[in-house]
Amino acid sequence: MASRAKATIFDIAREAGVSKSTVSLVLQGSGLIRPETAVKVRKAIEDVGYVYNRGAANLRKAHSNVIGMVINDLTNPFFAELAVGMERVFQSAGIVPFIANTAENPVRQEEVLKSLMEQGVAGLIVSPARGTTPGAFRRLEMAGVPVVFAMRRLPESRIPVITPDNHRGAYLAAAHLIGKGHRRLAFFGGSADLVVYQERLGGFREACETLGIAARDITVIEGETSRRGGIACLDTALATSEPPTAALCFNDAVAFGVMLALRKRGLEPGPDFAVVGFDDVVEAEHYMPALTSVSVDTAGLGERAAHVMLKMIQSRTTRAEDHIGAVNLVIRESCGPDRRARNRPAGMGDAA
Amino acid sequence: MASRAKATIFDIAREAGVSKSTVSLVLQGSGLIRPETAVKVRKAIEDVGYVYNRGAANLRKAHSNVIGMVINDLTNPFFAELAVGMERVFQSAGIVPFIANTAENPVRQEEVLKSLMEQGVAGLIVSPARGTTPGAFRRLEMAGVPVVFAMRRLPESRIPVITPDNHRGAYLAAAHLIGKGHRRLAFFGGSADLVVYQERLGGFREACETLGIAARDITVIEGETSRRGGIACLDTALATSEPPTAALCFNDAVAFGVMLALRKRGLEPGPDFAVVGFDDVVEAEHYMPALTSVSVDTAGLGERAAHVMLKMIQSRTTRAEDHIGAVNLVIRESCGPDRRARNRPAGMGDAA
DNA sequence: GCCTATAAATGGAACGTTCCAATAAATCAA
DNA sequence: TTGATTTATTGGAACGTTCCATTTATAGGC
């Protein structure tokens, strides 16, 4: 059953009684071959258990059909959603994207990028790891491989970027909090070496300024972009003399952490302390209480990035327009104080 | 700046004043070349902006160094954790694994598998999609590509499998519930076409039988393996005349859904209805209430799978031992009734 | 029937590596 | 010096495709 040495187009040719060139033509679906010949060849392909060798083909062909997705943190469901969006469009283009995880590690990222290049990728969609050096993508540029950044960007770089409107999202969220009557606000999580962070914090600050919140009433605490980071942020914030009463979190993971920490202290997220997240991952809606968050249409951005990529490959360019995706604030229960009647524990309360 | 046509070893050879063979040797880190020559060549490599063409190399070399991970649902954090475990060991072997998502779709899986084969993968770690036909991996076998299944398996197949001890995990969980005094038990989520489902349900049933729960007191409800599925399961279960008081869920996602649905009805997960999950994803610990779950050491299983894969490649075999990973029940708050003092809402309760 | 136009199939070179066998250079024993 | 041995380096063939320029078969026009 198991075929000996792997079959090549020559084996097919022999089997079908044609030349290797004919087989190649059939493989490429050329209209030049007679239908009955094609049928014969296809049968032979099946019979010998042939598997196409794309590496060999790429040696002659101009471009491969491999597209890489380089993602900084696969365990964040946010990036999985992004990946899913991209896959939707690549699939309909007959392309199988390969995903590689850099685990937020620039060194690892370097390896991944190198490996992908050696593989001869046609293009790369990248959410760069924290601490990526400006030169990390120079080789790609030199080789003329199209690259687009998704969700994150590098400080000064000419690589096209697909991101949500971080500034506006943060502005909306902060304005909402202020509108609810909060006067002492915090921004939790993230770190200043990320451009996204600058943008989100910028929007937050602008809202505060415009709507009359004094700078000394603003608490900014950097931290890990994870649940753990959120817990830490809340703890240090509440330790101050005049603690904030509401926080915008760098992302939903941080917000979940904050809510958890509130509960641990016996405080109820929403009524006792307002929290707003960013990204609106699917869990946000299902959390308890449901998290108010800035929705960024993750999958949509993924699709967009994929389309841009496809277009770049097609027109063999390495440039493209940036795309700033629309955002909107999804208001749920985690930001008081228009307190809905909270369900009392262990009772047959009215179904929500 | 951008180099013209991509550089080859010939360009390097010319630049360094040596032969292409010498360059090749240097590239492979051969000890045969004189150190100063190697230095010269390496400088030339840098100067011409060379990128290694692995496709061309694989044409002559026996084996590639690409390993594929085919995953059925990337948005389930469980699989992301699995992937992370694998990456750890591949990284230290100098291998960059490529991840591809099948989105639980056998057709998509077929495409992914085909693409990976064409790419000349050295091996594949696969968590097969639901509804995978037995023949789906025949081509791989014919081509002699090592494959290992992780987490899931196919009904009858000789491909080695790395899974947790599903039977035992479910047994432990059910026994715990029964020990707590529950007499009417449910098994929520999953579907019978999955071998894992059979195993988990089997363990559950065995515990019930052994510990004296009558068959008519057992409710089994199949459903999506997602939050949504969990919600649906609870709703139909509570609609029966004698509803269960506790449930073992097919996985944590289902359990989260169940808890959510309980809350929606004003019931408190734990005191009012016990729920136990399976997989123990990181969120389980951080949920509210924290979820009791069967811990399977996901990352550890990923590492194990990667090691097995490496060994198979090295010894060029397509066979290996199955590996059944140890499990243990992590008891948290979601399974009453030894009710800890639940925190009352909106008060300064004692910190947990 | 012969010449031309079209359709179908083919051989050969090229792609960028690796690996083997062979050469060239350096070292050593006599 | 000569030959043997070791150490470095090299040319050529091969890997499995694609693509171009040809060749061969088929059909059409007269």
PDB file of all heavy atoms in Angstrom, chain A residues 54 87 91 98-99 101 116 118 227 260 263 266 283 286 288 347, chain B residues 54 87 98-99 101 108 116 118 227 260 263 266 283 286 288 347:
ATOM      1  N   ARG A  54       5.510  21.385  -3.882  1.00  0.00           N
ATOM      2  CA  ARG A  54       5.424  22.819  -4.096  1.00  0.00           C
ATOM      3  C   ARG A  54       6.801  23.486  -4.027  1.00  0.00           C
ATOM      4  O   ARG A  54       7.040  24.500  -4.674  1.00  0.00           O
ATOM      5  CB  ARG A  54       4.493  23.432  -3.061  1.00  0.00           C
ATOM      6  CG  ARG A  54       3.795  24.663  -3.529  1.00  0.00           C
ATOM      7  CD  ARG A  54       2.678  25.062  -2.584  1.00  0.00           C
ATOM      8  NE  ARG A  54       1.458  24.321  -2.830  1.00  0.00           N
ATOM      9  CZ  ARG A  54       0.592  24.643  -3.790  1.00  0.00           C
ATOM     10  NH1 ARG A  54       0.813  25.652  -4.580  1.00  0.00           N
ATOM     11  NH2 ARG A  54      -0.497  23.932  -3.948  1.00  0.00           N
ATOM     12  N   GLU A  87      -8.650  33.954   7.895  1.00  0.00           N
ATOM     13  CA  GLU A  87      -8.785  32.657   7.238  1.00  0.00           C
ATOM     14  C   GLU A  87      -9.990  32.620   6.313  1.00  0.00           C
ATOM     15  O   GLU A  87      -9.950  31.993   5.269  1.00  0.00           O
ATOM     16  CB  GLU A  87      -8.891  31.551   8.285  1.00  0.00           C
ATOM     17  CG  GLU A  87      -7.534  31.189   8.830  1.00  0.00           C
ATOM     18  CD  GLU A  87      -7.615  30.157   9.921  1.00  0.00           C
ATOM     19  OE1 GLU A  87      -8.601  30.177  10.668  1.00  0.00           O
ATOM     20  OE2 GLU A  87      -6.688  29.342  10.026  1.00  0.00           O
ATOM     21  N   GLN A  91      -9.266  31.504   2.573  1.00  0.00           N
ATOM     22  CA  GLN A  91      -9.850  30.242   2.140  1.00  0.00           C
ATOM     23  C   GLN A  91     -10.532  30.391   0.794  1.00  0.00           C
ATOM     24  O   GLN A  91     -10.351  29.580  -0.105  1.00  0.00           O
ATOM     25  CB  GLN A  91     -10.852  29.763   3.178  1.00  0.00           C
ATOM     26  CG  GLN A  91     -11.602  28.514   2.728  1.00  0.00           C
ATOM     27  CD  GLN A  91     -12.298  27.854   3.883  1.00  0.00           C
ATOM     28  OE1 GLN A  91     -12.624  28.489   4.890  1.00  0.00           O
ATOM     29  NE2 GLN A  91     -12.525  26.556   3.767  1.00  0.00           N
ATOM     30  N   PHE A  98      -0.521  29.990   7.158  1.00  0.00           N
ATOM     31  CA  PHE A  98       0.119  29.330   8.279  1.00  0.00           C
ATOM     32  C   PHE A  98       0.298  30.321   9.409  1.00  0.00           C
ATOM     33  O   PHE A  98       0.770  31.435   9.209  1.00  0.00           O
ATOM     34  CB  PHE A  98       1.470  28.754   7.868  1.00  0.00           C
ATOM     35  CG  PHE A  98       1.334  27.622   6.915  1.00  0.00           C
ATOM     36  CD1 PHE A  98       2.108  27.547   5.776  1.00  0.00           C
ATOM     37  CD2 PHE A  98       0.391  26.626   7.142  1.00  0.00           C
ATOM     38  CE1 PHE A  98       1.954  26.501   4.883  1.00  0.00           C
ATOM     39  CE2 PHE A  98       0.234  25.577   6.253  1.00  0.00           C
ATOM     40  CZ  PHE A  98       1.019  25.518   5.118  1.00  0.00           C
ATOM     41  N   ILE A  99      -0.062  29.879  10.590  1.00  0.00           N
ATOM     42  CA  ILE A  99       0.001  30.750  11.747  1.00  0.00           C
ATOM     43  C   ILE A  99       1.218  30.390  12.578  1.00  0.00           C
ATOM     44  O   ILE A  99       1.507  29.217  12.785  1.00  0.00           O
ATOM     45  CB  ILE A  99      -1.259  30.559  12.610  1.00  0.00           C
ATOM     46  CG1 ILE A  99      -2.507  30.811  11.768  1.00  0.00           C
ATOM     47  CG2 ILE A  99      -1.221  31.475  13.818  1.00  0.00           C
ATOM     48  CD1 ILE A  99      -3.786  30.435  12.469  1.00  0.00           C
ATOM     49  N   ASN A 101       3.274  31.584  16.252  1.00  0.00           N
ATOM     50  CA  ASN A 101       3.130  32.323  17.491  1.00  0.00           C
ATOM     51  C   ASN A 101       4.494  32.812  17.966  1.00  0.00           C
ATOM     52  O   ASN A 101       5.448  32.060  17.992  1.00  0.00           O
ATOM     53  CB  ASN A 101       2.530  31.370  18.536  1.00  0.00           C
ATOM     54  CG  ASN A 101       2.238  32.047  19.842  1.00  0.00           C
ATOM     55  OD1 ASN A 101       2.106  33.261  19.914  1.00  0.00           O
ATOM     56  ND2 ASN A 101       2.126  31.243  20.895  1.00  0.00           N
ATOM     57  N   LEU A 116       9.882  31.662   8.038  1.00  0.00           N
ATOM     58  CA  LEU A 116       8.834  31.933   7.049  1.00  0.00           C
ATOM     59  C   LEU A 116       9.436  32.415   5.732  1.00  0.00           C
ATOM     60  O   LEU A 116       9.002  32.028   4.651  1.00  0.00           O
ATOM     61  CB  LEU A 116       7.883  32.984   7.619  1.00  0.00           C
ATOM     62  CG  LEU A 116       6.457  32.656   8.079  1.00  0.00           C
ATOM     63  CD1 LEU A 116       6.078  31.204   7.987  1.00  0.00           C
ATOM     64  CD2 LEU A 116       6.184  33.197   9.449  1.00  0.00           C
ATOM     65  N   GLU A 118      12.427  31.769   4.584  1.00  0.00           N
ATOM     66  CA  GLU A 118      13.107  30.645   3.949  1.00  0.00           C
ATOM     67  C   GLU A 118      12.112  29.750   3.232  1.00  0.00           C
ATOM     68  O   GLU A 118      12.416  29.124   2.235  1.00  0.00           O
ATOM     69  CB  GLU A 118      13.856  29.826   5.000  1.00  0.00           C
ATOM     70  CG  GLU A 118      15.003  30.583   5.616  1.00  0.00           C
ATOM     71  CD  GLU A 118      15.753  29.762   6.635  1.00  0.00           C
ATOM     72  OE1 GLU A 118      15.316  28.635   6.941  1.00  0.00           O
ATOM     73  OE2 GLU A 118      16.779  30.241   7.117  1.00  0.00           O
ATOM     74  N   ARG A 227      -5.201  39.119  32.785  1.00  0.00           N
ATOM     75  CA  ARG A 227      -5.998  39.156  34.006  1.00  0.00           C
ATOM     76  C   ARG A 227      -5.114  39.530  35.186  1.00  0.00           C
ATOM     77  O   ARG A 227      -5.459  40.346  36.028  1.00  0.00           O
ATOM     78  CB  ARG A 227      -6.603  37.787  34.282  1.00  0.00           C
ATOM     79  CG  ARG A 227      -7.853  37.495  33.509  1.00  0.00           C
ATOM     80  CD  ARG A 227      -8.425  36.194  34.016  1.00  0.00           C
ATOM     81  NE  ARG A 227      -9.729  35.917  33.432  1.00  0.00           N
ATOM     82  CZ  ARG A 227      -9.926  35.495  32.200  1.00  0.00           C
ATOM     83  NH1 ARG A 227      -8.901  35.313  31.404  1.00  0.00           N
ATOM     84  NH2 ARG A 227     -11.146  35.271  31.758  1.00  0.00           N
ATOM     85  N   LEU A 260     -12.390  40.753  38.750  1.00  0.00           N
ATOM     86  CA  LEU A 260     -12.085  39.675  39.684  1.00  0.00           C
ATOM     87  C   LEU A 260     -11.568  40.236  41.001  1.00  0.00           C
ATOM     88  O   LEU A 260     -12.004  39.845  42.095  1.00  0.00           O
ATOM     89  CB  LEU A 260     -11.012  38.800  39.027  1.00  0.00           C
ATOM     90  CG  LEU A 260     -10.760  37.438  39.602  1.00  0.00           C
ATOM     91  CD1 LEU A 260     -11.990  36.585  39.398  1.00  0.00           C
ATOM     92  CD2 LEU A 260      -9.565  36.814  38.904  1.00  0.00           C
ATOM     93  N   ARG A 263     -14.290  41.787  43.086  1.00  0.00           N
ATOM     94  CA  ARG A 263     -15.086  40.769  43.755  1.00  0.00           C
ATOM     95  C   ARG A 263     -14.361  40.222  44.978  1.00  0.00           C
ATOM     96  O   ARG A 263     -14.961  39.983  46.022  1.00  0.00           O
ATOM     97  CB  ARG A 263     -15.370  39.611  42.782  1.00  0.00           C
ATOM     98  CG  ARG A 263     -16.500  39.895  41.833  1.00  0.00           C
ATOM     99  CD  ARG A 263     -17.832  39.692  42.551  1.00  0.00           C
ATOM    100  NE  ARG A 263     -18.971  40.024  41.715  1.00  0.00           N
ATOM    101  CZ  ARG A 263     -19.390  39.273  40.705  1.00  0.00           C
ATOM    102  NH1 ARG A 263     -18.766  38.152  40.406  1.00  0.00           N
ATOM    103  NH2 ARG A 263     -20.417  39.653  39.994  1.00  0.00           N
ATOM    104  N   GLY A 266     -14.949  42.180  47.773  1.00  0.00           N
ATOM    105  CA  GLY A 266     -16.344  42.351  48.151  1.00  0.00           C
ATOM    106  C   GLY A 266     -17.004  43.519  47.456  1.00  0.00           C
ATOM    107  O   GLY A 266     -18.073  43.974  47.861  1.00  0.00           O
ATOM    108  N   GLU A 283     -16.167  36.706  25.106  1.00  0.00           N
ATOM    109  CA  GLU A 283     -16.439  36.479  26.523  1.00  0.00           C
ATOM    110  C   GLU A 283     -17.045  37.682  27.217  1.00  0.00           C
ATOM    111  O   GLU A 283     -17.744  37.544  28.218  1.00  0.00           O
ATOM    112  CB  GLU A 283     -15.133  36.218  27.258  1.00  0.00           C
ATOM    113  CG  GLU A 283     -14.489  34.911  27.016  1.00  0.00           C
ATOM    114  CD  GLU A 283     -13.143  34.939  27.716  1.00  0.00           C
ATOM    115  OE1 GLU A 283     -13.116  34.746  28.934  1.00  0.00           O
ATOM    116  OE2 GLU A 283     -12.152  35.197  27.014  1.00  0.00           O
ATOM    117  N   HIS A 286     -20.480  37.545  27.928  1.00  0.00           N
ATOM    118  CA  HIS A 286     -20.893  36.439  28.778  1.00  0.00           C
ATOM    119  C   HIS A 286     -20.351  36.527  30.193  1.00  0.00           C
ATOM    120  O   HIS A 286     -20.496  35.604  30.978  1.00  0.00           O
ATOM    121  CB  HIS A 286     -20.467  35.122  28.139  1.00  0.00           C
ATOM    122  CG  HIS A 286     -21.240  34.796  26.922  1.00  0.00           C
ATOM    123  ND1 HIS A 286     -20.692  34.161  25.828  1.00  0.00           N
ATOM    124  CD2 HIS A 286     -22.523  35.051  26.591  1.00  0.00           C
ATOM    125  CE1 HIS A 286     -21.612  34.010  24.896  1.00  0.00           C
ATOM    126  NE2 HIS A 286     -22.736  34.549  25.331  1.00  0.00           N
ATOM    127  N   MET A 288     -19.767  38.000  34.053  1.00  0.00           N
ATOM    128  CA  MET A 288     -20.719  38.275  35.114  1.00  0.00           C
ATOM    129  C   MET A 288     -20.104  39.317  36.035  1.00  0.00           C
ATOM    130  O   MET A 288     -19.191  38.977  36.786  1.00  0.00           O
ATOM    131  CB  MET A 288     -20.985  36.971  35.857  1.00  0.00           C
ATOM    132  CG  MET A 288     -22.276  36.923  36.614  1.00  0.00           C
ATOM    133  SD  MET A 288     -23.742  37.298  35.652  1.00  0.00           S
ATOM    134  CE  MET A 288     -24.076  35.733  34.851  1.00  0.00           C
ATOM    135  N   GLY A 347     -31.446  33.001  45.268  1.00  0.00           N
ATOM    136  CA  GLY A 347     -32.890  33.154  45.313  1.00  0.00           C
ATOM    137  C   GLY A 347     -33.450  32.992  43.913  1.00  0.00           C
ATOM    138  O   GLY A 347     -32.720  33.010  42.939  1.00  0.00           O
TER     139      GLY A 347
ATOM    140  N   ARG B  54      14.761  27.203   1.350  1.00  0.00           N
ATOM    141  CA  ARG B  54      14.572  25.873   1.907  1.00  0.00           C
ATOM    142  C   ARG B  54      13.905  24.926   0.919  1.00  0.00           C
ATOM    143  O   ARG B  54      14.118  23.718   0.943  1.00  0.00           O
ATOM    144  CB  ARG B  54      13.758  25.969   3.190  1.00  0.00           C
ATOM    145  CG  ARG B  54      14.086  24.902   4.191  1.00  0.00           C
ATOM    146  CD  ARG B  54      13.468  25.193   5.537  1.00  0.00           C
ATOM    147  NE  ARG B  54      14.278  26.104   6.315  1.00  0.00           N
ATOM    148  CZ  ARG B  54      15.324  25.712   7.025  1.00  0.00           C
ATOM    149  NH1 ARG B  54      15.707  24.456   7.027  1.00  0.00           N
ATOM    150  NH2 ARG B  54      15.999  26.587   7.725  1.00  0.00           N
ATOM    151  N   GLU B  87       4.999  24.201  21.143  1.00  0.00           N
ATOM    152  CA  GLU B  87       5.995  25.161  20.670  1.00  0.00           C
ATOM    153  C   GLU B  87       7.215  25.187  21.557  1.00  0.00           C
ATOM    154  O   GLU B  87       8.331  25.349  21.087  1.00  0.00           O
ATOM    155  CB  GLU B  87       5.374  26.553  20.583  1.00  0.00           C
ATOM    156  CG  GLU B  87       4.551  26.706  19.326  1.00  0.00           C
ATOM    157  CD  GLU B  87       3.876  28.054  19.252  1.00  0.00           C
ATOM    158  OE1 GLU B  87       3.502  28.576  20.311  1.00  0.00           O
ATOM    159  OE2 GLU B  87       3.713  28.548  18.143  1.00  0.00           O
ATOM    160  N   PHE B  98       4.211  25.222  12.172  1.00  0.00           N
ATOM    161  CA  PHE B  98       3.167  26.038  11.568  1.00  0.00           C
ATOM    162  C   PHE B  98       1.810  25.524  11.993  1.00  0.00           C
ATOM    163  O   PHE B  98       1.546  24.326  11.932  1.00  0.00           O
ATOM    164  CB  PHE B  98       3.286  26.031  10.048  1.00  0.00           C
ATOM    165  CG  PHE B  98       4.513  26.735   9.574  1.00  0.00           C
ATOM    166  CD1 PHE B  98       5.325  26.173   8.614  1.00  0.00           C
ATOM    167  CD2 PHE B  98       4.873  27.960  10.120  1.00  0.00           C
ATOM    168  CE1 PHE B  98       6.473  26.824   8.187  1.00  0.00           C
ATOM    169  CE2 PHE B  98       6.015  28.613   9.703  1.00  0.00           C
ATOM    170  CZ  PHE B  98       6.816  28.042   8.730  1.00  0.00           C
ATOM    171  N   ILE B  99       0.979  26.448  12.423  1.00  0.00           N
ATOM    172  CA  ILE B  99      -0.329  26.084  12.914  1.00  0.00           C
ATOM    173  C   ILE B  99      -1.365  26.368  11.844  1.00  0.00           C
ATOM    174  O   ILE B  99      -1.318  27.406  11.204  1.00  0.00           O
ATOM    175  CB  ILE B  99      -0.665  26.909  14.165  1.00  0.00           C
ATOM    176  CG1 ILE B  99       0.425  26.720  15.216  1.00  0.00           C
ATOM    177  CG2 ILE B  99      -2.027  26.543  14.704  1.00  0.00           C
ATOM    178  CD1 ILE B  99       0.313  27.668  16.380  1.00  0.00           C
ATOM    179  N   ASN B 101      -5.690  26.070  11.144  1.00  0.00           N
ATOM    180  CA  ASN B 101      -6.975  25.909  11.802  1.00  0.00           C
ATOM    181  C   ASN B 101      -7.974  25.261  10.844  1.00  0.00           C
ATOM    182  O   ASN B 101      -8.084  25.677   9.700  1.00  0.00           O
ATOM    183  CB  ASN B 101      -7.464  27.307  12.203  1.00  0.00           C
ATOM    184  CG  ASN B 101      -8.751  27.265  12.983  1.00  0.00           C
ATOM    185  OD1 ASN B 101      -9.101  26.244  13.576  1.00  0.00           O
ATOM    186  ND2 ASN B 101      -9.455  28.384  12.995  1.00  0.00           N
ATOM    187  N   ARG B 108     -12.417  21.569   5.045  1.00  0.00           N
ATOM    188  CA  ARG B 108     -11.313  22.486   5.276  1.00  0.00           C
ATOM    189  C   ARG B 108     -10.071  21.709   5.707  1.00  0.00           C
ATOM    190  O   ARG B 108      -8.958  21.979   5.270  1.00  0.00           O
ATOM    191  CB  ARG B 108     -11.730  23.469   6.367  1.00  0.00           C
ATOM    192  CG  ARG B 108     -10.671  24.461   6.770  1.00  0.00           C
ATOM    193  CD  ARG B 108     -10.380  25.411   5.661  1.00  0.00           C
ATOM    194  NE  ARG B 108      -9.431  26.444   6.059  1.00  0.00           N
ATOM    195  CZ  ARG B 108      -8.721  27.137   5.199  1.00  0.00           C
ATOM    196  NH1 ARG B 108      -8.830  26.903   3.902  1.00  0.00           N
ATOM    197  NH2 ARG B 108      -7.895  28.061   5.620  1.00  0.00           N
ATOM    198  N   LEU B 116      -0.311  21.187   3.506  1.00  0.00           N
ATOM    199  CA  LEU B 116       0.840  20.888   4.359  1.00  0.00           C
ATOM    200  C   LEU B 116       1.718  19.811   3.727  1.00  0.00           C
ATOM    201  O   LEU B 116       2.949  19.887   3.756  1.00  0.00           O
ATOM    202  CB  LEU B 116       0.336  20.413   5.721  1.00  0.00           C
ATOM    203  CG  LEU B 116       0.441  21.276   6.991  1.00  0.00           C
ATOM    204  CD1 LEU B 116       1.058  22.631   6.783  1.00  0.00           C
ATOM    205  CD2 LEU B 116      -0.860  21.362   7.713  1.00  0.00           C
ATOM    206  N   GLU B 118       2.018  19.136   0.536  1.00  0.00           N
ATOM    207  CA  GLU B 118       2.691  19.719  -0.627  1.00  0.00           C
ATOM    208  C   GLU B 118       3.900  20.536  -0.183  1.00  0.00           C
ATOM    209  O   GLU B 118       4.891  20.639  -0.884  1.00  0.00           O
ATOM    210  CB  GLU B 118       1.719  20.623  -1.383  1.00  0.00           C
ATOM    211  CG  GLU B 118       0.601  19.856  -2.032  1.00  0.00           C
ATOM    212  CD  GLU B 118      -0.335  20.755  -2.812  1.00  0.00           C
ATOM    213  OE1 GLU B 118      -0.158  21.982  -2.764  1.00  0.00           O
ATOM    214  OE2 GLU B 118      -1.224  20.220  -3.464  1.00  0.00           O
ATOM    215  N   ARG B 227     -20.065  27.744  25.026  1.00  0.00           N
ATOM    216  CA  ARG B 227     -20.937  28.374  26.009  1.00  0.00           C
ATOM    217  C   ARG B 227     -22.383  28.229  25.589  1.00  0.00           C
ATOM    218  O   ARG B 227     -23.250  27.894  26.375  1.00  0.00           O
ATOM    219  CB  ARG B 227     -20.609  29.860  26.116  1.00  0.00           C
ATOM    220  CG  ARG B 227     -19.420  30.176  26.970  1.00  0.00           C
ATOM    221  CD  ARG B 227     -19.334  31.685  27.122  1.00  0.00           C
ATOM    222  NE  ARG B 227     -18.310  32.063  28.091  1.00  0.00           N
ATOM    223  CZ  ARG B 227     -17.026  32.054  27.843  1.00  0.00           C
ATOM    224  NH1 ARG B 227     -16.578  31.661  26.671  1.00  0.00           N
ATOM    225  NH2 ARG B 227     -16.163  32.426  28.784  1.00  0.00           N
ATOM    226  N   LEU B 260     -23.656  30.443  33.378  1.00  0.00           N
ATOM    227  CA  LEU B 260     -24.285  31.661  32.901  1.00  0.00           C
ATOM    228  C   LEU B 260     -25.809  31.514  32.906  1.00  0.00           C
ATOM    229  O   LEU B 260     -26.547  32.385  33.390  1.00  0.00           O
ATOM    230  CB  LEU B 260     -23.794  31.915  31.475  1.00  0.00           C
ATOM    231  CG  LEU B 260     -24.023  33.278  30.877  1.00  0.00           C
ATOM    232  CD1 LEU B 260     -23.222  34.309  31.646  1.00  0.00           C
ATOM    233  CD2 LEU B 260     -23.608  33.249  29.415  1.00  0.00           C
ATOM    234  N   ARG B 263     -27.258  31.624  36.377  1.00  0.00           N
ATOM    235  CA  ARG B 263     -27.337  33.003  36.860  1.00  0.00           C
ATOM    236  C   ARG B 263     -28.531  33.735  36.272  1.00  0.00           C
ATOM    237  O   ARG B 263     -29.224  34.486  36.951  1.00  0.00           O
ATOM    238  CB  ARG B 263     -26.050  33.751  36.487  1.00  0.00           C
ATOM    239  CG  ARG B 263     -24.904  33.479  37.413  1.00  0.00           C
ATOM    240  CD  ARG B 263     -25.099  34.260  38.715  1.00  0.00           C
ATOM    241  NE  ARG B 263     -24.054  33.955  39.690  1.00  0.00           N
ATOM    242  CZ  ARG B 263     -22.799  34.385  39.600  1.00  0.00           C
ATOM    243  NH1 ARG B 263     -22.424  35.122  38.581  1.00  0.00           N
ATOM    244  NH2 ARG B 263     -21.929  34.068  40.531  1.00  0.00           N
ATOM    245  N   GLY B 266     -31.418  33.201  38.088  1.00  0.00           N
ATOM    246  CA  GLY B 266     -31.348  33.585  39.491  1.00  0.00           C
ATOM    247  C   GLY B 266     -30.852  32.461  40.384  1.00  0.00           C
ATOM    248  O   GLY B 266     -31.010  32.497  41.605  1.00  0.00           O
ATOM    249  N   GLU B 283      -8.982  30.089  32.517  1.00  0.00           N
ATOM    250  CA  GLU B 283     -10.114  30.883  32.971  1.00  0.00           C
ATOM    251  C   GLU B 283     -10.885  30.233  34.111  1.00  0.00           C
ATOM    252  O   GLU B 283     -11.537  30.922  34.890  1.00  0.00           O
ATOM    253  CB  GLU B 283     -11.126  31.037  31.849  1.00  0.00           C
ATOM    254  CG  GLU B 283     -10.747  31.938  30.739  1.00  0.00           C
ATOM    255  CD  GLU B 283     -11.794  31.796  29.648  1.00  0.00           C
ATOM    256  OE1 GLU B 283     -12.860  32.398  29.801  1.00  0.00           O
ATOM    257  OE2 GLU B 283     -11.526  31.050  28.707  1.00  0.00           O
ATOM    258  N   HIS B 286     -10.409  31.558  37.327  1.00  0.00           N
ATOM    259  CA  HIS B 286     -10.750  32.970  37.476  1.00  0.00           C
ATOM    260  C   HIS B 286     -12.222  33.261  37.302  1.00  0.00           C
ATOM    261  O   HIS B 286     -12.624  34.402  37.275  1.00  0.00           O
ATOM    262  CB  HIS B 286      -9.945  33.791  36.459  1.00  0.00           C
ATOM    263  CG  HIS B 286      -8.494  33.857  36.780  1.00  0.00           C
ATOM    264  ND1 HIS B 286      -7.517  33.887  35.822  1.00  0.00           N
ATOM    265  CD2 HIS B 286      -7.859  33.877  37.974  1.00  0.00           C
ATOM    266  CE1 HIS B 286      -6.333  33.925  36.405  1.00  0.00           C
ATOM    267  NE2 HIS B 286      -6.517  33.913  37.700  1.00  0.00           N
ATOM    268  N   MET B 288     -16.310  33.202  38.117  1.00  0.00           N
ATOM    269  CA  MET B 288     -17.054  33.595  39.303  1.00  0.00           C
ATOM    270  C   MET B 288     -18.371  32.839  39.314  1.00  0.00           C
ATOM    271  O   MET B 288     -19.238  33.150  38.512  1.00  0.00           O
ATOM    272  CB  MET B 288     -17.288  35.112  39.223  1.00  0.00           C
ATOM    273  CG  MET B 288     -17.542  35.807  40.516  1.00  0.00           C
ATOM    274  SD  MET B 288     -16.332  35.492  41.809  1.00  0.00           S
ATOM    275  CE  MET B 288     -15.018  36.632  41.385  1.00  0.00           C
ATOM    276  N   GLY B 347     -21.128  44.983  49.357  1.00  0.00           N
ATOM    277  CA  GLY B 347     -20.739  45.271  50.734  1.00  0.00           C
ATOM    278  C   GLY B 347     -19.251  45.067  50.887  1.00  0.00           C
ATOM    279  O   GLY B 347     -18.597  44.515  50.016  1.00  0.00           O
TER     280      GLY B 347
END
